[in-house]
Amino acid sequence: MLEEKYARLVQILRECGSVCVGYSGGVDSVFLAKVAVDVLGPANVLAVTGLSDSFPAVQREMALECVRRFGIPHLELRTDELADPNYAANPANRCYFCKTELWSKLKVVAAERGLAVVLDGSNADDGHDYRPGMQAAREHGVRSPLFEAGLTKAEIRELSRRMGLPTWDQPSAPCLASRLPYGLAVTRERLRQVETAEAVLRERGFREFRVRHHGEVARLEIARAELPRAVEQAAELAARIREIGFRRVLLDVEGYRRGALNEGLRLAGAGGAR
Amino acid sequence: MAGGAGPAASDPRIAQAERLLREHGIEGARVSAAGHQSEIAAVEVSAAHIARLVELAPEIKALGFRYVAVDLASVDV
């Protein structure tokens, strides 16, 4: 089954001929870029990273390490989704505006370099969550080979492990704006606070977590297995994170869960606009 | 405690949540509504009671909160 899906992925890439890959340095895009280089050769592949205030520095480090290790042609370009007031207002379809900015720039790059198709790293699981960014991809003619091949996140991790990619067990790392609940404006200062607070948790050895920004409150979502250690360090964590500018630091008792800020949308019945 | 003083005083969810905690043996816990939409039940509680609080989280959320969280400044380890 897994081999069949991989074969389908290879077939899709061959059909494309030459590709420009939206490349964040996460599990999916690293895998996709590596397979694209293996199948099409480096002359027919360009991985492009959009650098913006919502892109974590730690993610950029992984992105650069992988292109160096695996010989993936790479380009970084500046994107500025914050300049779009539709994005900055942080509506439920915020990702649509961010991805519109990204894909419109990547289409230009692809055209300039003579690359036939722009690709993203959406996978088969992404159809289950609220993903307005996928609409922007469709509108810009971006293809999603991992999704088309039916590869799930778990399967991409397994294939990445077999290929020796360092990202195979890397926690998911969506953009920093995903830590702000819908309706709370996205600002450079808030993104910086989230990134700094998450660096505090990373320094202390926590592995799976999010710092959710609720205005003056930081709500820490930490994997259930790591919660006891967070409680042991309660005073130190509270002090360090308050220094960043939060008045109050809260530890969510349910722990880290993917897409937690979409829970409100589902409760309100507004999650059907995939 | 910051984050719960104003609207919290008239928020019926707070008294309900504190009563729920008392009924389940968590004495002295204080609850406030936090977050920019008062969507978080922020609980001041000792470390010894956190495991019980985890079990009670669904019932506290059913009072109208989206999240249940411990105020780290209140935790005495």
Side-chain angles (χ1 to χ4, degrees):
Chain A
M1 184 69 168
L2 187 54
E3 284 69 22
E4 287 172 18
K5 290 182 179 181
Y6 183 80
R8 172 72 184 132
L9 172 63
V10 169
Q11 183 188 347
I12 292 166
L13 290 169
R14 285 197 178 123
E15 287 167 6
C16 291
S18 60
V19 297
C20 178
V21 181
Y23 177 80
S24 68
V27 178
D28 301 320
S29 66
V30 168
F31 172 74
L32 178 59
K34 173 67 166 67
V35 176
V37 167
D38 290 347
V39 172
L40 302 173
N44 292 306
V45 177
L46 180 65
V48 181
T49 303
L51 297 182
S52 74
D53 296 290
S54 65
F55 187 65
V58 67
Q59 190 72 16
R60 184 185 181 202
E61 289 169 19
M62 178 57 83
L64 293 174
E65 181 193 330
C66 287
V67 296
R68 279 194 295 264
R69 277 178 62 176
F70 300 109
I72 300 168
H74 184 232
L75 174 72
E76 291 182 321
L77 57 79
R78 187 75 197 169
T79 56
D80 190 12
E81 55 272 15
L82 266 176
D84 181 349
N86 291 310
Y87 171 89
N90 199 9
N93 63 343
R94 178 197 65 232
C95 297
Y96 171 81
F97 301 105
C98 175
K99 295 300 184 187
T100 294
E101 162 81 353
L102 178 70
W103 299 130
S104 60
K105 289 195 169 173
L106 260 66
K107 275 182 76 174
V108 172
V109 170
E112 287 172 350
R113 310 251 177 156
L115 299 167
V117 185
V118 178
L119 307 181
D120 77 1
S122 297
N123 64 57
D125 292 331
D126 291 330
H128 304 308
D129 201 1
Y130 178 56
R131 296 274 169 156
M134 292 178 78
Q135 182 189 342
R138 281 194 299 273
E139 288 176 4
H140 287 80
V142 174
R143 286 189 69 173
S144 307
L146 304 178
F147 181 86
E148 292 175 40
L151 283 162
T152 65
K153 191 77 162 192
E155 290 169 335
I156 292 164
R157 288 188 185 280
E158 171 57 19
L159 290 168
S160 297
R161 187 188 65 77
R162 293 182 193 177
M163 291 166 64
L165 302 181
T167 46
W168 76 272
D169 65 344
Q170 176 179 289
S172 297
C175 81
L176 294 170
S178 68
R179 276 61 149 185
L180 276 62
Y182 300 122
L184 183 66
V186 183
T187 66
R188 285 189 175 82
E189 173 63 9
R190 286 176 175 152
L191 296 174
R192 187 198 61 77
Q193 287 177 308
V194 167
E195 184 164 35
T196 309
E198 293 196 347
V200 169
L201 295 177
R202 201 170 293 111
E203 279 168 19
R204 289 173 169 265
F206 292 100
R207 186 168 156 71
E208 249 193 312
F209 55 81
R210 298 282 186 269
V211 174
R212 307 291 188 186
H213 198 308
H214 294 266
E216 295 182 332
V217 173
R219 180 174 57 86
L220 315 185
E221 284 184 14
I222 296 177
R224 292 288 283 264
E226 297 180 294
L227 281 179
R229 201 153 53 81
V231 172
E232 287 169 14
Q233 301 181 32
E236 297 93 330
L237 286 175
R240 287 287 305 278
I241 294 174
R242 276 202 302 241
E243 284 171 9
I244 297 162
F246 293 102
R247 286 184 63 192
R248 204 169 182 191
V249 183
L250 306 177
L251 178 67
D252 193 302
V253 299
E254 294 185 291
Y256 165 66
R257 55 239 185 248
R258 184 171 181 246
L261 291 177
N262 282 342
E263 288 171 4
L265 287 181
R266 285 192 284 271
L267 286 171
R274 292 190 174 110
Chain B
M1 181 60 68
S10 58
D11 188 337
R13 298 176 301 170
I14 291 171
Q16 291 167 353
E18 290 182 342
R19 185 166 57 246
L20 179 84
L21 293 172
R22 273 197 308 276
E23 287 170 358
H24 287 83
I26 302 180
E27 294 291 340
R30 288 185 57 198
V31 179
S32 56
H36 79 300
Q37 294 177 326
S38 300
E39 71 274 41
I40 309 170
V43 185
E44 297 175 48
V45 68
S46 69
H49 287 129
I50 290 178
R52 189 79 181 106
L53 180 62
V54 172
E55 294 171 358
L56 294 170
E59 290 180 58
I60 297 173
K61 288 169 75 172
L63 298 173
F65 293 103
R66 195 171 298 160
Y67 310 105
V68 179
V70 175
D71 189 328
L72 286 184
S74 73
V75 175
D76 52 336
V77 181

